[in-house]
Every structure is written in C-alpha cells, then in structure tokens.
Amino acid sequence: MSEPIITVENLSKCYRIGHLPAQGDGLRHVLENSLRAPQHWLKRRREKRESATEEFWALKDVSFEIKRGEVVGIIGRNGAGKSTLLKIMSRITEPTSGRIAIEGRVASLLEVGTGFHAELTGRENIFLNGAILGMSKAEITRKFDEIVAFSEVEKFLDTPVKRYSSGMYVRLAFAVAAHLEPEVLIVDEVLAVGDAAFQKKCIGKMQDVSKGGRTVIFVSHNMQAVVALCETAVWLQGGKVLATGAAKNLVGKYLSQPAGDGLEPALPLAAKPRTGTGTARFTKLTVGEQGTGDPASGQITTGGSLRIDLEIAARQPVREANVAVTIYDVNNYRLIDVNTALNGEFLSLQPGGLARVSFVIGELLLKPGRYIIELWLGRAGMEDVDFVREAGGFEVLADVAKANHSETFPGIYQCRFSHQISR
Amino acid sequence: MGQRLIIEAGRTERQYWRDLWRYRELFYFLAWRDFLVRYKQTAAGVLWSLIRPVLTMLALMIVVKFGRLSTGGVAGPLFIFAAMLPWQFFSTALSESGSSLITNANLVSKIYFPRLVVPASSIIVCFADFLISAAFLVVLMVYYRFAPPPQVVALPLMLLMALGASFGAGLWIAALMVKYRDFRFIVPFVVQFGVYASPVILKTSVVPEKWGLRFIYSLNPMVGVIDGFRWCLLGGENTIYWPGFAASLLVVVGLVFTGIWYFRKTERTFADMI
C-alpha cells in the first residue's frame, strides 16, 4: 500500500502568451518571413530575446508523490495550475520539463460529457464515450447495465442527449467514466453540476474505487467535497506546490487564507465584465461590518451585520428599477438574495442622476470563508440595466472571542443552537 | 497491474503504435458516430451520398457534350463517373479529414488518445459514401450493358492508392489546420480547382508527351489514381501512361509517409494550439 503509484518530479509547463508577429499563427506571417529571408533571421533573433518576457509558467518545479489507493485532492485558486497539471497527467499536453511516472492505466474525466454527441441517443453515447475513454466494445457491453443503473436514465436511453436535462447528462457521463476501472482516475470539477443526491452517489463511487486499491485524483473548488472525499491534498498556488498534507488541515488553511492574493488582480468595479443595457451602472461597491470602524474593510465576523454600500449613476432615465444584491459562496451556490423590491421600493433616476443604496444584512451567520457579491439593476423579466456577476466579495472571519472550539467544520451556515446531553 | 507510463518533455512515445492498436475500436466508433450524425434530420438521408455525385456527373456531362470532348470510346456517363468515383472520394476525404481535428477540438483538448484516429476515421466515413457511389456505377454499367475489362481485378490496388492519397494529404492538412486556420479557405479552393487539374472531364492523353509535360502532370497524385480507375473499369482506349502512373504512385507513398511524420511531430502541441 505504500509504494508511490504516481511520482511527479520537477514538473514545469510554460505557455507563451501574447502574439509576436514573427511567431504568429497565421500562415501569412510564415510566408512573409520566408520571403523576407535576409531580415528574417535578424528579426527572429531579436524577437526570441523579447519573447522571454512573454513566457507564462503555468507550473514551475512541481514535485509530489501519490500512493496507491489514495484519494488526493488538488486545491488552489483559479490560475494556480490545477488544470494544467491534470492535462499533463492525462497526456493531453506535454510538460516543458520534468517527468511523471504512473504505474498503470489512467482515465481522466476533465469535463463532463466530453465526446458526447448531442444528436446521438444515450445508448449510443455510452458506447461512443466508453470507446473514447479507452474501453473496448466488449468491456462496455459487459458493464452496460451497471452504467445505466448508476446513471438513472433508463427511460431515456433512446432519446438524443440533446433533450436531456443537464443533470441527466452529467449522470450518464460520470457513470461511463466511473466504470472504466483504471488504476488512476482523474476527476476535475464534475461535481459542480448535478443535484445533491447524485453528488453523494459520485463521492460514494469514488470512495469505492479507492477502496478497490485504485487511486483517485480529484480537483474541485468545492471544499466540502474535497474534505469528504480526500485523505490528502496538494495545494497549488501560482504554479507551485504550496503545501501537501492531510486534506482537512489544508482545506482549513486554504479557506482562512485572505482572498485577493491570487493571480486575479482586483479590477475596479467600473472595469468589471458586465451585461445589461447600461443606461445606468453600478459605480461603487463597498462592503464591511456595520458598527465597526471601517465600512469598506471587506471583512465581517460571523454573526455580525453586513453592510453593503452601492452607488448607481444613470446616463439615461431609469424608471422603477429593482436593485438587487446576491451573495454566493466559492462553489457558486446562491445563498442570499436581497433587493429593494422585497421591501416594496423601486429606484427611478434622471439622466446624470446618482443614487446611493445601502443594504444591511443583520446577523450574518455564515461560516468563515470567502463569499462573492453579485449586483443587479433592472426590471424583472423585462430588462437588465446593469448586471455584474462578480462585483466584489468579502471575507467572513471566525468569531474568536466566542469560539470554544478552534476547528472549522464544513458547511456554510453557522446557526445559533443549544444542546442538551442527558445520561 | 499493467504498464508503467512515463510522461516527459519531448518523449517520442514508444507506446504510440501500441496505443493506436488499443484504440482501434475508436476508429470504428468515431466513423460510426459521424455516419449516424451526418444525415440526421435530413429528409433524403443516405440518398445524399448518391445525389451529390450524380448531380455533379450530370453537370460535367453538359460540359463534355457542348465541348464535344472525347469520352474514351465509352458512354459519357460511364467515362465521367469512373473518374468521379475516386475524385469525389478524394475531395470529401481531404476536406473532412482536414477539418476533423478542428471539429473534434473538444475531444483533442480534453482526452488523450492517439490523434491519428481522428482524421483516419473521418476517411472511413467518406469510404462508406464511396461504396454507395460505386453501387451506382454498377447500375450505370448494367444500364449501358457494359462489361468491365479483365484488369478490373486490379481495382482494389487503385483503391488503396486513392486511400493513400487522401490519408496522406488529409494528415498534412489536419495538422496544419490546427495551427493555420488559413487552410479552411485553401482546401475548398483546392477541391474546386482540382476537378480541372485532374483528368475528370478530360483524358490524360490530351496532355502532350513532349518536354515531359505529361510526366509533370502526373505529379498530381490524382492523375494516376483516376487513370488507374478508368483503366481498370473501362479499359479499351483508356490506357495508362506507366511512367506517369509510377510518378503518381511515388507521390502518394511520399504523402503518406511525410503526412504521418508531420502529424506525429506536431501532435503533442495540438491541445495547446487548438
């Protein structure tokens, strides 16, 4: 049980970002350059030097080992290199340097339903997807009933998958991959879709897989799933291994780490990607705890009151619009939706007008961690005036003064409760 | 427990050909998928693989009639269709396999399998169309009460040559198109122009033999293939100019080997590039 099944040594992967004329992807550049042969070599050499600054190391000197039968979670923020690592492990792309040694067959499930064809029926897709994942026809035929039973789509087997709900689609896709029986199963973010019952089933299946002596590598932003499934974890940050160890400890550290230290720079609200007619826009967003010193701290203690201040500037008249604030957790689960319409009030503005709207959400009993704020201005079912998906975020900190126990348990709602023990 | 897998930069995978063998059923499944999907939601269905070449043949027949061109001593439709058969196969196979990696980009960027499977299986689909068209040629022969000459037994060899030409050229285009999308515009042009650059309407014998012109003409691999088809199927006046045929054959062999070589060379960057 103790010999490593996967050994990753000094693995690095470099991507070239930005387009340089002489190395452009268009055929024209190549033709042009071969025509202008004399200058070509000079130019090429100069650009090679410049291109050194255009390199982006998605992974840099990554080394770790995974033992047989382990279930390992790979965690890290967006851009930490998780997907690149998985892509190299599943042989989709080559590393720039370093090596990986894997004992046995690898199957990867990097995206749900890759290779599914929308026009084909569920039955046809099982065979197609199985073949793409490396199963033989005999193998698929043997496991067909098992796959169908697991996916719970018996009734729709002869329906084209384009008519499937996204849940059915995911179930079928996962079912095929889960029955592959590889020595190493690589799973990326499949649990983000599908309902809770199915997620549970998937986790159960993956645990079965690992009990059968096989190894599972699991990447997810869903920290609860990581804790539930994995014993150990590898934490990547900026293309490097930040830490390895017991999953529970690492996830705890990961969640308590202040946000915004990743690779994503904090864009000003005005520059954030948004949709809507744009006749009015959110121009300012500050978040903090009501009654404490800094109303824009971006931090709140569990149980405190969250204060959100907004500014809206109108370029054209806005009539009877609803202002909404929605709060998501890092797994993109919608937790809270507050809006002025709920209190029976709507916002109207003249061209050039400016409005300040503030919300106070009393006694916010969210567990420590990072949360995302989405802003919406518009008229329900009629128009979106301004919609900013990730307008900002805030951090919920543990209430140290009241805590009797230092550990953070998974879950999102830190309810007030009492208990009684009788003997 | 199976084998040990090493992933390293620039490693020419020794297990590549073994993998190709292991994934042999994928050839069949991808081809099967494309064939199933191809005529979904069409009223005429598989008939389309017959309608297309027949209509093209009729159009070319008009050219032949008005230009009073020689049809090699056989009925015009037979003369044209014997050439249309390999040409249509080559042109669809070239465009289908050429764009196959792009249309399967989601597979290429998400799952490992020998990439060679993708263009190869798209050629299998075109081959199925070819068989349907071939059945129509048999109908034409029955209608014109024409019996093929004894050299018809060599037809499978000519077929192999047509396969090689499409496979080799298809691999080049597929690999190049991943990087240079320009080929999306070049291929239709080549296919259109190719009808006239290959002896589909004309006989190869109209190209003079002096200054080695005919030999040079035969460097177009489809010249050899089409001449070969006509010679096998029609015989009589439709003879083969053997030095030219040898040149075509050489070009086909060259295309296959360089195609595989270039494809293998660029294959590992496909996922990053596509």
Side-chain angles (χ1 to χ4, degrees):
Chain A
M1 286 296 278
S2 59
E3 90 270 31
I5 186 163
I6 300 174
T7 319
V8 179
E9 286 166 26
N10 304 321
L11 195 72
S12 299
K13 172 81 183 176
C14 176
Y15 284 107
R16 210 150 286 217
I17 50 170
H19 278 263
L20 296 164
Q23 293 163 328
D25 286 346
L27 185 62
R28 189 171 61 92
H29 301 300
V30 175
L31 292 178
E32 249 177 42
N33 281 332
S34 50
L35 286 176
R36 282 189 267 145
Q39 300 107 300
H40 174 75
W41 295 108
L42 264 171
K43 217 174 138 198
R44 181 75 171 261
R45 201 177 300 158
R46 199 181 66 227
E47 254 148 12
K48 243 182 194 157
R49 216 177 302 139
E50 281 169 18
S51 74
T53 58
E54 291 278 4
E55 283 173 354
F56 169 68
W57 291 89
L59 288 177
K60 189 98 181 109
D61 278 336
V62 168
S63 305
F64 58 89
E65 278 184 358
I66 292 174
K67 293 186 179 67
R68 183 174 303 280
E70 258 184 339
V71 182
V72 180
I74 311 259
I75 59 175
R77 297 197 196 285
N78 289 334
K82 303 185 298 280
S83 304
T84 308
L85 178 63
L86 292 203
K87 275 193 172 181
I88 295 173
M89 277 192 175
S90 18
R91 285 199 285 170
I92 292 161
T93 182
E94 268 204 334
T96 309
S97 63
R99 78 200 285 266
I100 304 180
I102 302 175
E103 311 282 342
R105 183 155 91 147
V106 184
S108 57
L109 190 52
L110 293 201
E111 197 182 74
V112 167
T114 316
F116 267 34
H117 198 289
E119 298 283 349
L120 299 180
T121 67
R123 184 189 305 279
E124 288 162 348
N125 268 309
I126 289 178
F127 280 95
L128 178 65
N129 199 349
I132 288 170
L133 292 173
M135 277 195 252
S136 68
K137 198 178 173 192
E139 212 178 336
I140 305 167
T141 314
R142 187 152 39 83
K143 290 181 189 151
F144 188 82
D145 292 335
E146 219 179 309
I147 292 173
V148 173
F150 188 87
S151 67
E152 304 167 14
V153 296
E154 295 94 334
K155 272 188 244 162
F156 308 98
L157 264 188
D158 294 307
T159 309
V161 295
K162 66 178 173 184
R163 312 216 192 286
Y164 276 28
S165 73
S166 58
M168 286 156 66
Y169 197 87
V170 178
R171 289 207 296 271
L172 189 62
F174 185 85
V176 178
H179 288 83
L180 192 53
E181 298 188 353
E183 270 88 18
V184 179
L185 177 66
I186 298 175
V187 185
D188 186 9
E189 284 299 354
V190 260
L191 298 180
V193 239
D195 58 17
F198 185 71
Q199 290 190 8
K200 223 174 172 177
K201 203 166 163 183
C202 293
I203 290 176
K205 179 75 192 175
M206 284 197 261
Q207 277 165 343
D208 289 350
V209 167
S210 74
K211 276 188 197 117
R214 275 172 259 130
T215 309
V216 181
I217 298 174
F218 180 56
V219 168
S220 180
H221 284 113
N222 184 338
M223 289 302 141
Q224 278 139 272
V226 172
V227 173
L229 187 64
C230 309
E231 302 120 45
T232 55
V234 176
W235 182 357
L236 291 181
Q237 190 170 33
K240 290 181 179 144
V241 177
L242 195 68
T244 52
K248 214 171 171 184
N249 295 342
L250 277 196
V251 167
K253 275 189 205 151
Y254 173 78
L255 287 178
S256 62
Q257 191 203 36
D261 58 338
L263 290 170
E264 316 130 82
L267 283 174
L269 183 56
K272 292 233 157 114
R274 65 225 291 153
T275 55
T277 58
T279 54
R281 285 182 146 211
F282 291 102
T283 51
K284 207 173 160 193
L285 162 71
T286 55
V287 195
E289 188 168 351
Q290 173 87 324
T292 57
D294 184 5
S297 62
Q299 288 184 336
I300 174 174
T301 317
T302 293
S305 294
L306 183 72
R307 186 186 168 103
I308 299 164
D309 288 291
L310 305 171
E311 254 178 38
I312 300 165
R315 279 191 296 171
Q316 282 157 41
V318 172
R319 269 198 309 278
E320 299 283 295
N322 183 7
V323 185
V325 173
T326 316
I327 296 173
Y328 290 84
D329 70 3
V330 286
N331 304 323
N332 271 328
Y333 287 122
R334 193 185 181 102
L335 305 174
I336 293 171
D337 189 340
V338 291
N339 56 68
T340 58
L342 284 175
N343 287 339
E345 207 184 334
F346 294 90
L347 176 73
S348 297
L349 279 173
Q350 295 301 316
L354 186 80
R356 289 196 179 83
V357 183
S358 61
F359 288 90
V360 176
I361 301 171
E363 218 193 4
L364 192 74
L365 285 166
L366 290 177
K367 293 238 172 160
R370 181 170 163 70
Y371 296 87
I372 297 156
I373 293 181
E374 171 188 290
L375 298 176
W376 181 77
L377 175 72
R379 291 188 288 170
M382 295 171 74
E383 61 169 347
D384 293 348
V385 175
D386 195 20
F387 176 53
V388 194
R389 179 64 191 82
E390 284 190 18
F394 61 93
E395 196 78 34
V396 175
L397 307 174
D399 190 348
V400 186
K402 284 186 196 154
N404 292 315
H405 200 281
S406 60
E407 204 165 359
T408 305
F409 292 94
I412 45 163
Y413 185 61
Q414 181 89 51
C415 61
R416 302 237 182 276
F417 70 100
S418 62
H419 76 277
Q420 220 180 335
I421 299 175
S422 21
R423 291 193 175 86
Chain B
M1 187 187 73
Q3 77 283 27
R4 181 187 172 89
L5 172 71
I6 306 281
I7 301 166
E8 247 176 347
R11 188 183 175 86
T12 47
E13 283 172 52
R14 269 175 237 119
Q15 62 260 70
Y16 190 84
W17 300 106
R18 210 174 59 199
D19 270 356
L20 205 59
W21 175 246
R22 223 179 43 211
Y23 279 86
R24 65 193 179 277
E25 284 185 339
L26 190 57
F27 282 97
Y28 158 76
F29 274 112
L30 284 181
W32 169 76
R33 175 197 71 178
D34 288 343
F35 203 75
L36 274 184
V37 167
R38 198 167 193 181
Y39 299 115
K40 279 243 162 126
Q41 290 200 5
T42 59
V46 182
L47 271 181
W48 277 115
S49 49
L50 202 57
I51 295 171
R52 275 194 310 180
V54 170
L55 285 183
T56 319
M57 181 198 75
L58 291 178
L60 294 180
M61 271 306 293
I62 293 169
V63 179
V64 170
K65 277 269 183 284
F66 278 86
R68 291 162 204 269
L69 300 173
S70 156
T71 58
V74 292
L78 280 181
F79 177 77
I80 297 284
F81 210 81
M84 280 279 309
L85 209 53
W87 173 255
Q88 198 87 23
F89 170 67
F90 175 76
S91 61
T92 50
L94 187 68
S95 28
E96 296 279 322
S97 65
S99 59
S100 61
L101 284 172
I102 305 293
T103 49
N104 287 297
N106 63 329
L107 287 188
V108 172
S109 59
K110 293 288 178 193
I111 297 179
Y112 168 81
F113 55 85
R115 307 309 189 201
L116 213 55
V117 174
V118 174
S121 75
S122 66
I123 286 181
I124 299 179
V125 178
C126 300
F127 188 68
D129 277 349
F130 170 87
L131 291 180
I132 294 170
S133 303
F136 182 72
L137 180 68
V138 175
V139 173
L140 273 183
M141 284 181 161
V142 172
Y143 177 81
Y144 285 104
R145 290 165 199 281
F146 181 87
Q151 60 261 37
V152 75
V153 293
L155 194 64
L157 292 177
M158 300 303 164
L159 198 56
L160 210 62
M161 192 168 157
L163 261 172
S166 344
F167 185 60
L171 284 182
W172 269 103
I173 303 280
L176 282 167
M177 206 186 282
V178 171
K179 203 170 175 194
Y180 308 108
R181 298 288 154 96
D182 307 62
F183 282 91
R184 211 163 16 187
F185 306 101
I186 296 174
V187 171
F189 176 74
V190 168
V191 167
Q192 255 172 9
F193 184 69
V195 182
Y196 305 101
S198 308
V200 179
I201 308 175
L202 299 171
K203 288 171 65 179
T204 318
S205 49
V206 299
V207 178
E209 268 186 64
K210 59 180 172 186
W211 309 314
L213 273 180
R214 229 169 131 182
F215 184 80
I216 293 166
Y217 182 54
S218 301
L219 290 178
N220 168 1
M222 286 314 285
V223 170
V225 173
I226 290 173
D227 276 356
F229 264 72
R230 281 213 177 110
W231 175 69
C232 287
L233 289 167
L234 309 173
E237 285 178 41
N238 299 288
T239 51
I240 289 194
Y241 169 63
W242 289 105
F245 183 81
S248 289
L249 189 63
L250 218 64
V251 171
V252 168
V253 171
L255 267 177
V256 170
F257 280 99
T258 57
I260 292 175
W261 165 79
Y262 185 71
F263 193 89
R264 290 281 294 121
K265 198 178 83 143
T266 50
E267 185 175 25
R268 41 198 147 90
T269 59
F270 284 171
D272 298 334
M273 226 43 128
I274 211 158

